[in-house]
Amino acid sequence: MAANKEYALLCLENPLLDIQAVGTEELLAKYGLKANDAILAEPQHLPLYEELLNDYDAKLIAGGAAQNTARGAQYILPPNSVVYLGGVGDDKYAAILKDAVREVGLRVEYRVDPKEPTGRCGVVITGHNRSLCTDLAAANHYDLDHLKSPEIWKLVEGARFYYVGGYHFTVCPPAIQALGQEAAANDKVFVVNFSAPFIAQFFKEPLDASSPYWDYVICNESEAEAYAKSHDLADQTDLKAIARAITDLPKANAKRPRVAVITNGTGATVVATQGQADVREFPVHAIAADKINDTNGAGDAFAGGFVAGLVQGKPLEECVDRGHWLARLSIQELGPSYPFPKQTY
Ligand code: 26A
C-alpha cells in the first residue's frame, strides 16, 4: 500500500559530507582511530580531512547517517514521501548534499548557518571496516527554533512517522523530545537509531529521556552492547536479551508495542516485540565478499529499507527484508549510496 499522504516520513539528524578514502593501519594509528568506529573529531583529528583529500585520493560523497536513511527510504517509496531536517552551511559542500538528495527526490529543509561550514565526516576504509571521524560544524547548530518555525512544524504535523538518528543526541535533544511528544500524543510512530556506541556511553541522559517515546529502536550489535553496558543490564552480550530489555522499558504511548531491531553484520537480525514471548531472527541476504565495495552506510541503508516498509504498512518481517535488500545494494556502491538506474524491491 502506498503512503496516502505527502511527506509521511520526517527524519532529523546531522547532514554531513563524507570525505572517504581507502586508508591504512598507519593512518588509523596516526589519528588514534579504531578500524570500525564512529567518533566526534577533536582538534588533533582536524588535519585528517586534508590528508585524506591530498594523499589518499578521497572522494566527496553525501553522508550524515539519517540523511542516508532518508535517501534510502525515499529510494523505495513513492515521490514526496520523505522530508529530512538538519543544519548545514552556505557553501559548496551543502551544494553537493543537495545534488545527492535531488537524485532520489528527497526533500530537505536545512537550517542554513551563515557562519559555520557544512559538517564533514572523514571515512577511512580498511577492508570491510570503516572508521568515521566527524566535525559537525553547522550541523551542531540545529535548534528547536527551526523545528518549531511555522513552515517546518506544519511538516511535522503532517508526518505520520518520525525517524531520529541517534547522533542527534549530541546536537539538539529538545528537538528530539518535541518529536517524541508529538508522536505519543497523536499515536504516530517514533523510530530511533542508536547510531554509534559512544551515544549510549556518553549521551545516556538525553538518550534515556527520549526512551518512553521509542516505538521502534534500530541498532547494530556493538551499539546494543554499549547500551547494555551503560545501563548495567544483566546480560551484556546476548542480543536477544538486550532487545527484550529495550522493549520492556516504560512507554508513553501504550497503544503501540515497542519493537527492538538489532542488526548483526552478516549474522541474523534480531527482533523483539513487547508482549511477544518469542524473540525472532531473520538471516541477511548473503553476498559474495568480492561484490562488496565498502560498508560505509550499510546500517543506514538497512534503516531506510525498514522504515520504508513501516510507511508502506508492511508486516515486520517484510520491513526487515526491505532493510536487508537495501543494505545489500548500498554496500555494492561507493559510500552510503544507492544504485541508479533505480532497482525495485
Ligand atoms: C555526530 N556524528 C558523529 C555523526 C556522524 C554521522 N552522521 C551524523 N552524526 N558520524 C558519522 N556519520 C555518518 O554516518 C554515515 C555512515 O553510517 C557519516 O556521514 C556516514 O555517511
Side-chain angles (χ1 to χ4, degrees):
M1 193 182 63
N4 58 15
K5 204 168 160 218
E6 292 208 326
Y7 306 113
L9 172 63
L10 179 135
C11 306
L12 168 70
E13 209 208 38
N14 315 321
L16 302 174
L17 192 76
D18 286 357
I19 301 176
Q20 175 174 324
V22 174
T24 58
E25 298 299 326
E26 293 71 39
L27 182 67
L28 293 173
K30 178 173 174 188
Y31 288 98
L33 301 173
K34 293 184 200 153
N36 208 17
D37 200 9
I39 62 162
L40 287 168
E42 290 172 30
Q44 71 270 21
H45 295 119
L46 296 180
L48 171 68
Y49 305 107
E50 286 304 312
E51 188 164 347
L52 283 171
L53 286 166
N54 295 338
D55 304 339
Y56 290 85
D57 190 27
K59 301 285 180 291
L60 302 179
I61 315 167
Q67 186 168 241
N68 302 336
T69 296
R71 283 192 291 121
Q74 183 59 74
Y75 184 87
I76 292 179
L77 291 169
N80 302 339
S81 291
V82 190
V83 58
Y84 169 84
L85 313 176
V88 297
D90 183 10
D91 52 21
K92 67 173 195 286
Y93 279 6
I96 296 175
L97 297 187
K98 283 183 190 145
D99 283 345
V101 301
R102 201 174 298 124
E103 186 182 38
V104 295
L106 172 67
R107 175 170 174 183
V108 293
E109 293 293 340
Y110 292 140
R111 176 192 180 278
V112 180
D113 194 296
K115 293 197 212 93
E116 295 282 338
T118 297
R120 305 169 287 178
C121 177
V123 182
V124 181
I125 304 290
T126 50
H128 291 163
N129 292 319
R130 93 286 181 265
S131 193
L132 309 171
C133 181
T134 294
D135 175 24
L136 278 168
N140 211 16
H141 294 262
Y142 191 81
D143 58 19
L144 197 55
D145 286 348
H146 183 267
L147 185 74
K148 287 283 177 85
S149 63
E151 61 276 28
I152 302 299
W153 194 252
K154 208 178 284 169
L155 289 166
V156 171
E157 286 178 334
R160 294 178 290 121
F161 298 82
Y162 303 125
Y163 178 90
V164 172
Y167 286 121
H168 206 70
F169 286 107
T170 74
V171 172
C172 186
I176 300 173
Q177 292 302 94
L179 292 180
Q181 285 155 9
E182 177 70 13
N186 298 287
D187 194 24
K188 295 176 178 184
V189 176
F190 185 86
V191 187
V192 72
N193 192 312
F194 283 176
S195 295
F198 85 86
I199 297 295
Q201 204 179 355
F202 299 120
F203 294 84
K204 181 169 181 275
E205 209 176 291
L207 180 68
D208 288 347
S210 75
S211 69
Y213 304 122
W214 303 343
D215 291 306
Y216 291 86
V217 172
I218 303 174
C219 65
N220 68 22
E221 73 283 14
S222 57
E223 294 148 14
E225 284 165 16
Y227 181 89
K229 208 166 168 197
S230 68
H231 290 76
D232 291 322
L233 298 188
D235 200 324
Q236 300 188 0
T237 51
D238 176 359
L239 297 183
K240 288 186 166 185
I242 300 170
R244 171 57 68 224
I246 292 170
T247 63
D248 287 351
L249 294 170
K251 198 162 181 304
N253 176 7
K255 290 187 205 143
R256 294 181 184 275
R258 180 179 295 127
V259 176
V261 180
I262 306 180
T263 61
N264 189 17
T266 55
T269 298
V270 169
V271 180
T273 301
Q274 193 181 11
Q276 284 181 16
D278 254 17
V279 179
R280 294 189 282 170
E281 284 187 294
F282 300 96
V284 299
H285 306 194
I287 182 171
D290 64 3
K291 280 190 146 183
I292 299 178
N293 198 327
D294 64 73
T295 57
N296 181 21
D300 307 333
F302 172 83
F306 183 87
V307 291
L310 291 182
V311 173
Q312 291 172 320
K314 298 296 180 192
L316 202 45
E317 56 271 24
E318 292 188 33
C319 297
V320 172
D321 201 65
R322 278 166 179 70
H324 289 160
W325 177 79
L326 196 61
R328 190 178 194 274
L329 289 185
S330 176
I331 59 180
Q332 296 175 73
E333 303 293 310
L334 182 71
S337 308
Y338 306 102
F340 281 90
K342 236 184 197 189
Q343 308 225 4
T344 42
Y345 174 78

